[in-house]
Amino acid sequence: MLTVDKQAPPTPSLHALLVGNREENFFLIREILTRNGSPFKAEIDHAASLPDAKAMLHQQYYDLVLFEHETADTVAIQLLSEFLRDGLSIPFIVLVENADEAAIANILQAGAWDCVDKSQMNGTSLARTIRWALALHSTQRERTFAQDSLRKLSRAVEQSADTVMVTNREGVIEYVNPAFEALTGHSSQEVIGKTPRILKSGEQSPEIYEELWKTILSGNTYRKILVNRKKNGELYYVEENISPMRDATGAITHFISNGRDLTDRLRIEAQLLQAQKMDAIGRLAGGVAHDFNNLLTIIMSYSELAQDSAVRGSALERKLQEIISAARRAAQLTRQLLAFGRKQPQALRVLELNDVIIETTQTLPRLIGEDIELTVLPGSGLGRVKIDPVQLEQMLMDLAAYSRDAMPQGGSLKIETSDVHLDDQYIHRKHAIIPTGHYALITVTDTGVGISSDHLPHIFEPFYTTTPDGQGTGIGLATVYGIVKQLSGFIWAYSEPGNGTVFRIYLPCVTTRERPSDVPDLLPEPEAVGSETLLLVEDEDAVRAATTEFLRLHGYTVLEAKDGLDALAVAKNHGSTIDLVVTDVVMPNMSGGQLAKQLEGFRPETKILFVSGYAGKTVIDHNVLDLETNFLQKPFTLRQLSAKIREALNGRALGAGA
């Protein structure tokens, strides 16, 4: 036979405090509660006075307080009142003697759990009273804990930053929290009794909602980012978690939806993704520009040489002129790619923006046509900006050309400037990736056909165009974007089909005390012939050969070198003066900047002219510091090179800079 030892349940422990000045009662009660057969494993402490009781109750925890009460004694009631005021929750049993009903009623009303008449007190009655008081206290401490938990849960839902919506099994809304009201613009009174269809945006297919209901009716949680519509019609993105609620039998009775507003986060992520994509395209554009520039320089140079040999007015001369014109258009396209990639050489000056814009817009009517009304509204108090005036002119012309194409039947074009200070509140509400600060704002507004939401995110991408084939390159707005970014500015487009387009360009204002620079007039082109000695350093054989032939035809003595090391050897072995070194910047073995530094040591009188097909930053990285006076960007015509050579020879010794 299998026997199982049955252990008796553990005796509950009891830590009690007896308050009273009769020491014999203390020993009696302790004997009752600690002798064999007692239902408690009791430990009794004694406080002979009220101050002692207060001190002991605040120093340690007691399961029970027994208080001796004399007839008409108010001390017990006073202690009870202080107990309740301090928020202590301990069962309080009063031991009375010869107390009438009124006294007992006062004691119980004060908050005592029970009263025991000492004349009838024995182990059984005292144990029964204590057990009942402890059980009642435990129960009360638990519908209190539950109520407190419910209050906390209610506060958490009400104060949650996420939206909370509860519907019945049929999808009828029974509750929404304040975050839902704040996000959607609907009050709880407006939505209770309706269905979540009031939030439908039309951006989701019916299959999405079929999947939603199939998931939650099967007892699973549905998770997805949805596009909803606010009361004011504005769209917002919300990460929804919709879960079923069950009753005690496990049946689904309700659904609870928790939503987190992702609109700002997704907007910022989209902006960053677009910026990264544009940067990648810009790096590609800058990388291929060098090879294009060298090829175009070869095409233009040999076309010019051939044109000089052709009979004036002949068919051959006209054909060569077409080649040169096409090469120039290709060169312009390359410059636009460099501008988009933020790698175009710049001649930055601190300028009064209004002056440059007013001067530039005087030429725009010829570009946009007579059927488009142009309005220029220069704002007052504009901060100064540091900008290349040529780039600003190009930017305005590209924007005007875009607006012209959007208004084939005519319309109006408005260019405004204003002074703005962007604070944290504006940045958070509008464009999170713009730093706070002082900006000059250029706003270009047209009344054209507008841009659809499908096309709007792509308008600044190069070669992206919505015009028919052959009517646009798709590079104009990409050029504007690149120029603005190169100036550490920001550009945004706002448009709707049929409602025109608004471009806003934020250019950071300078904080230095630099005085505005005058925009110099173009100097007359110098005479293209000369008799000086030039050292031509070019690693591209075809470019070097064509350039040498042209310069010799125009009177110059030309020494040739294929790279920097070769140029050093030529310069050391040449016994007479070298007036000017024309050198490519990026070459194998030794760069143009390093060559210029070496030449300073033994030919300090020699002037330097740098040329390069690479982008501006690459040139500057090779110690070419003055892009305005001693630098010529490829591709160039031979006549442009000749003019730049005369400009350099007529100026001061240039050197290599730092």
Short mmCIF file of all heavy atoms in Angstrom, two decimals, residues 510-546:
data_model
loop_
_atom_site.label_atom_id
_atom_site.label_comp_id
_atom_site.label_asym_id
_atom_site.label_seq_id
_atom_site.Cartn_x
_atom_site.Cartn_y
_atom_site.Cartn_z
N VAL A 510 24.98 85.31 -43.96
CA VAL A 510 26.31 85.32 -43.36
C VAL A 510 26.23 86.03 -42.01
O VAL A 510 25.46 86.97 -41.82
CB VAL A 510 27.32 86.02 -44.28
CG1 VAL A 510 27.50 85.25 -45.57
CG2 VAL A 510 26.90 87.45 -44.57
N THR A 511 27.05 85.56 -41.09
CA THR A 511 27.08 86.15 -39.75
C THR A 511 28.29 87.05 -39.55
O THR A 511 28.42 87.70 -38.54
CB THR A 511 27.11 85.05 -38.69
OG1 THR A 511 28.22 84.17 -38.93
CG2 THR A 511 25.83 84.21 -38.75
N THR A 512 29.21 87.06 -40.54
CA THR A 512 30.39 87.89 -40.42
C THR A 512 30.06 89.33 -40.78
O THR A 512 28.98 89.65 -41.25
CB THR A 512 31.50 87.38 -41.36
OG1 THR A 512 31.04 87.51 -42.70
CG2 THR A 512 31.82 85.92 -41.08
N ARG A 513 31.03 90.21 -40.56
CA ARG A 513 30.85 91.63 -40.86
C ARG A 513 31.43 91.99 -42.24
O ARG A 513 31.77 93.14 -42.48
CB ARG A 513 31.50 92.49 -39.78
CG ARG A 513 30.85 92.33 -38.41
CD ARG A 513 31.48 93.27 -37.39
NE ARG A 513 30.80 93.19 -36.10
CZ ARG A 513 29.74 93.89 -35.76
NH1 ARG A 513 29.22 94.75 -36.63
NH2 ARG A 513 29.18 93.75 -34.58
N GLU A 514 31.56 90.96 -43.11
CA GLU A 514 32.08 91.23 -44.45
C GLU A 514 31.18 92.23 -45.17
O GLU A 514 29.96 92.14 -45.12
CB GLU A 514 32.15 89.94 -45.27
CG GLU A 514 33.17 88.95 -44.78
CD GLU A 514 33.21 87.73 -45.70
OE1 GLU A 514 33.65 87.88 -46.85
OE2 GLU A 514 32.81 86.65 -45.25
N ARG A 515 31.81 93.17 -45.85
CA ARG A 515 31.05 94.14 -46.62
C ARG A 515 30.60 93.52 -47.93
O ARG A 515 31.30 92.70 -48.52
CB ARG A 515 31.90 95.38 -46.89
CG ARG A 515 32.32 96.11 -45.63
CD ARG A 515 33.11 97.34 -45.97
NE ARG A 515 32.32 98.28 -46.78
CZ ARG A 515 32.81 99.40 -47.29
NH1 ARG A 515 34.07 99.72 -47.08
NH2 ARG A 515 32.04 100.20 -48.01
N PRO A 516 29.45 93.91 -48.44
CA PRO A 516 28.99 93.36 -49.72
C PRO A 516 29.99 93.66 -50.82
O PRO A 516 30.58 94.74 -50.88
CB PRO A 516 27.65 94.08 -49.96
CG PRO A 516 27.21 94.54 -48.60
CD PRO A 516 28.45 94.83 -47.84
N SER A 517 30.18 92.68 -51.70
CA SER A 517 31.11 92.83 -52.81
C SER A 517 30.36 93.38 -54.02
O SER A 517 29.20 93.06 -54.26
CB SER A 517 31.74 91.48 -53.17
OG SER A 517 32.35 90.91 -52.02
N ASP A 518 31.06 94.19 -54.78
CA ASP A 518 30.50 94.63 -56.04
C ASP A 518 30.64 93.51 -57.07
O ASP A 518 31.63 92.78 -57.08
CB ASP A 518 31.24 95.87 -56.56
CG ASP A 518 30.99 97.08 -55.65
OD1 ASP A 518 29.89 97.15 -55.08
OD2 ASP A 518 31.90 97.91 -55.52
N VAL A 519 29.65 93.35 -57.90
CA VAL A 519 29.73 92.37 -58.97
C VAL A 519 30.46 93.02 -60.13
O VAL A 519 29.96 93.97 -60.74
CB VAL A 519 28.32 91.91 -59.41
CG1 VAL A 519 28.44 90.87 -60.51
CG2 VAL A 519 27.56 91.36 -58.22
N PRO A 520 31.68 92.56 -60.45
CA PRO A 520 32.47 93.24 -61.48
C PRO A 520 31.86 93.06 -62.86
O PRO A 520 31.26 92.03 -63.17
CB PRO A 520 33.84 92.55 -61.38
CG PRO A 520 33.52 91.19 -60.84
CD PRO A 520 32.37 91.38 -59.92
N ASP A 521 32.00 94.08 -63.67
CA ASP A 521 31.59 93.97 -65.07
C ASP A 521 32.58 93.06 -65.79
O ASP A 521 33.75 92.93 -65.41
CB ASP A 521 31.57 95.34 -65.75
CG ASP A 521 30.53 96.26 -65.11
OD1 ASP A 521 29.49 95.73 -64.65
OD2 ASP A 521 30.77 97.48 -65.07
N LEU A 522 32.10 92.43 -66.87
CA LEU A 522 32.99 91.57 -67.66
C LEU A 522 34.04 92.43 -68.35
O LEU A 522 33.74 93.46 -68.96
CB LEU A 522 32.18 90.79 -68.70
CG LEU A 522 31.22 89.74 -68.13
CD1 LEU A 522 30.42 89.10 -69.27
CD2 LEU A 522 31.99 88.67 -67.37
N LEU A 523 35.29 91.99 -68.23
CA LEU A 523 36.39 92.71 -68.87
C LEU A 523 36.36 92.44 -70.36
O LEU A 523 35.95 91.37 -70.82
CB LEU A 523 37.72 92.25 -68.27
CG LEU A 523 37.92 92.56 -66.79
CD1 LEU A 523 39.25 91.95 -66.32
CD2 LEU A 523 37.93 94.06 -66.54
N PRO A 524 36.80 93.41 -71.16
CA PRO A 524 36.88 93.14 -72.60
C PRO A 524 37.89 92.02 -72.87
O PRO A 524 38.89 91.90 -72.16
CB PRO A 524 37.35 94.48 -73.18
CG PRO A 524 37.99 95.19 -72.04
CD PRO A 524 37.25 94.76 -70.81
N GLU A 525 37.59 91.19 -73.86
CA GLU A 525 38.46 90.05 -74.15
C GLU A 525 39.82 90.56 -74.63
O GLU A 525 39.92 91.36 -75.56
CB GLU A 525 37.82 89.18 -75.23
CG GLU A 525 38.61 87.91 -75.50
CD GLU A 525 37.87 87.00 -76.44
OE1 GLU A 525 36.70 86.68 -76.15
OE2 GLU A 525 38.45 86.61 -77.48
N PRO A 526 40.94 90.10 -73.96
CA PRO A 526 42.27 90.57 -74.37
C PRO A 526 42.64 90.04 -75.75
O PRO A 526 42.02 89.13 -76.28
CB PRO A 526 43.19 89.96 -73.29
CG PRO A 526 42.27 89.49 -72.19
CD PRO A 526 40.97 89.20 -72.83
N GLU A 527 43.66 90.66 -76.30
CA GLU A 527 44.19 90.21 -77.59
C GLU A 527 44.67 88.78 -77.46
O GLU A 527 45.35 88.40 -76.51
CB GLU A 527 45.35 91.12 -78.01
CG GLU A 527 45.97 90.76 -79.34
CD GLU A 527 44.96 90.84 -80.48
OE1 GLU A 527 44.11 91.74 -80.47
OE2 GLU A 527 45.02 89.98 -81.38
N ALA A 528 44.32 87.93 -78.43
CA ALA A 528 44.57 86.50 -78.33
C ALA A 528 45.97 86.11 -78.77
O ALA A 528 46.31 84.93 -78.72
CB ALA A 528 43.54 85.73 -79.15
N VAL A 529 46.79 87.03 -79.25
CA VAL A 529 48.13 86.66 -79.73
C VAL A 529 49.18 87.10 -78.73
O VAL A 529 48.92 87.93 -77.86
CB VAL A 529 48.41 87.31 -81.11
CG1 VAL A 529 47.43 86.80 -82.14
CG2 VAL A 529 48.34 88.83 -81.01
N GLY A 530 50.37 86.50 -78.83
CA GLY A 530 51.45 86.87 -77.93
C GLY A 530 52.76 86.33 -78.42
O GLY A 530 52.83 85.59 -79.42
N SER A 531 53.83 86.69 -77.69
CA SER A 531 55.17 86.24 -78.09
C SER A 531 55.91 85.59 -76.93
O SER A 531 57.10 85.28 -77.05
CB SER A 531 55.97 87.45 -78.62
OG SER A 531 56.06 88.46 -77.61
N GLU A 532 55.24 85.37 -75.80
CA GLU A 532 55.90 84.84 -74.61
C GLU A 532 56.16 83.34 -74.75
O GLU A 532 55.65 82.67 -75.64
CB GLU A 532 55.04 85.11 -73.38
CG GLU A 532 54.95 86.59 -72.99
CD GLU A 532 53.80 87.30 -73.69
OE1 GLU A 532 53.22 86.72 -74.64
OE2 GLU A 532 53.49 88.44 -73.28
N THR A 533 56.95 82.85 -73.78
CA THR A 533 57.26 81.42 -73.72
C THR A 533 56.35 80.76 -72.70
O THR A 533 56.27 81.20 -71.54
CB THR A 533 58.72 81.19 -73.32
OG1 THR A 533 59.57 81.78 -74.32
CG2 THR A 533 59.03 79.70 -73.20
N LEU A 534 55.67 79.70 -73.13
CA LEU A 534 54.72 78.99 -72.28
C LEU A 534 55.18 77.55 -72.10
O LEU A 534 55.72 76.95 -73.04
CB LEU A 534 53.32 78.99 -72.91
CG LEU A 534 52.76 80.32 -73.42
CD1 LEU A 534 51.38 80.09 -74.05
CD2 LEU A 534 52.66 81.32 -72.29
N LEU A 535 54.96 77.02 -70.89
CA LEU A 535 55.16 75.59 -70.64
C LEU A 535 53.79 74.96 -70.48
O LEU A 535 53.06 75.25 -69.52
CB LEU A 535 56.01 75.37 -69.38
CG LEU A 535 56.15 73.92 -68.88
CD1 LEU A 535 56.69 73.01 -69.97
CD2 LEU A 535 57.03 73.86 -67.64
N LEU A 536 53.41 74.08 -71.41
CA LEU A 536 52.10 73.43 -71.40
C LEU A 536 52.25 72.03 -70.81
O LEU A 536 52.96 71.19 -71.39
CB LEU A 536 51.53 73.36 -72.81
CG LEU A 536 50.18 72.64 -72.97
CD1 LEU A 536 49.09 73.36 -72.18
CD2 LEU A 536 49.80 72.53 -74.44
N VAL A 537 51.57 71.79 -69.68
CA VAL A 537 51.66 70.51 -68.98
C VAL A 537 50.28 69.86 -69.04
O VAL A 537 49.34 70.32 -68.39
CB VAL A 537 52.11 70.69 -67.51
CG1 VAL A 537 52.43 69.33 -66.89
CG2 VAL A 537 53.30 71.63 -67.42
N GLU A 538 50.16 68.78 -69.81
CA GLU A 538 48.86 68.13 -70.04
C GLU A 538 49.09 66.64 -70.28
O GLU A 538 49.87 66.26 -71.17
CB GLU A 538 48.17 68.77 -71.24
CG GLU A 538 46.93 68.07 -71.73
CD GLU A 538 45.83 67.99 -70.69
OE1 GLU A 538 45.33 69.07 -70.28
OE2 GLU A 538 45.49 66.87 -70.29
N ASP A 539 48.44 65.79 -69.48
CA ASP A 539 48.65 64.34 -69.61
C ASP A 539 47.79 63.73 -70.72
O ASP A 539 48.00 62.58 -71.09
CB ASP A 539 48.38 63.64 -68.28
CG ASP A 539 46.94 63.79 -67.82
OD1 ASP A 539 46.40 64.91 -67.93
OD2 ASP A 539 46.36 62.81 -67.33
N GLU A 540 46.83 64.46 -71.25
CA GLU A 540 46.01 63.96 -72.36
C GLU A 540 46.68 64.39 -73.66
O GLU A 540 46.71 65.58 -74.02
CB GLU A 540 44.60 64.54 -72.25
CG GLU A 540 43.61 63.96 -73.24
CD GLU A 540 43.15 62.56 -72.87
OE1 GLU A 540 42.94 62.29 -71.67
OE2 GLU A 540 43.02 61.74 -73.79
N ASP A 541 47.22 63.41 -74.42
CA ASP A 541 48.04 63.72 -75.60
C ASP A 541 47.28 64.55 -76.62
O ASP A 541 47.81 65.52 -77.19
CB ASP A 541 48.52 62.42 -76.25
CG ASP A 541 49.51 61.68 -75.36
OD1 ASP A 541 50.08 62.32 -74.46
OD2 ASP A 541 49.71 60.47 -75.57
N ALA A 542 46.03 64.18 -76.87
CA ALA A 542 45.27 64.88 -77.90
C ALA A 542 45.01 66.33 -77.52
O ALA A 542 45.08 67.24 -78.37
CB ALA A 542 43.95 64.15 -78.16
N VAL A 543 44.69 66.58 -76.25
CA VAL A 543 44.48 67.95 -75.78
C VAL A 543 45.77 68.75 -75.89
O VAL A 543 45.79 69.91 -76.34
CB VAL A 543 43.95 67.95 -74.33
CG1 VAL A 543 43.85 69.38 -73.80
CG2 VAL A 543 42.60 67.26 -74.25
N ARG A 544 46.88 68.13 -75.50
CA ARG A 544 48.17 68.84 -75.52
C ARG A 544 48.58 69.19 -76.95
O ARG A 544 49.04 70.31 -77.22
CB ARG A 544 49.24 67.97 -74.86
CG ARG A 544 50.58 68.70 -74.66
CD ARG A 544 51.57 67.87 -73.89
NE ARG A 544 52.04 66.70 -74.62
CZ ARG A 544 51.69 65.44 -74.33
NH1 ARG A 544 50.88 65.20 -73.31
NH2 ARG A 544 52.15 64.43 -75.06
N ALA A 545 48.37 68.26 -77.87
CA ALA A 545 48.78 68.50 -79.25
C ALA A 545 47.97 69.63 -79.89
O ALA A 545 48.52 70.52 -80.55
CB ALA A 545 48.63 67.21 -80.06
N ALA A 546 46.64 69.60 -79.70
CA ALA A 546 45.80 70.64 -80.30
C ALA A 546 46.10 72.01 -79.69
O ALA A 546 46.17 73.02 -80.40
CB ALA A 546 44.32 70.28 -80.10
#
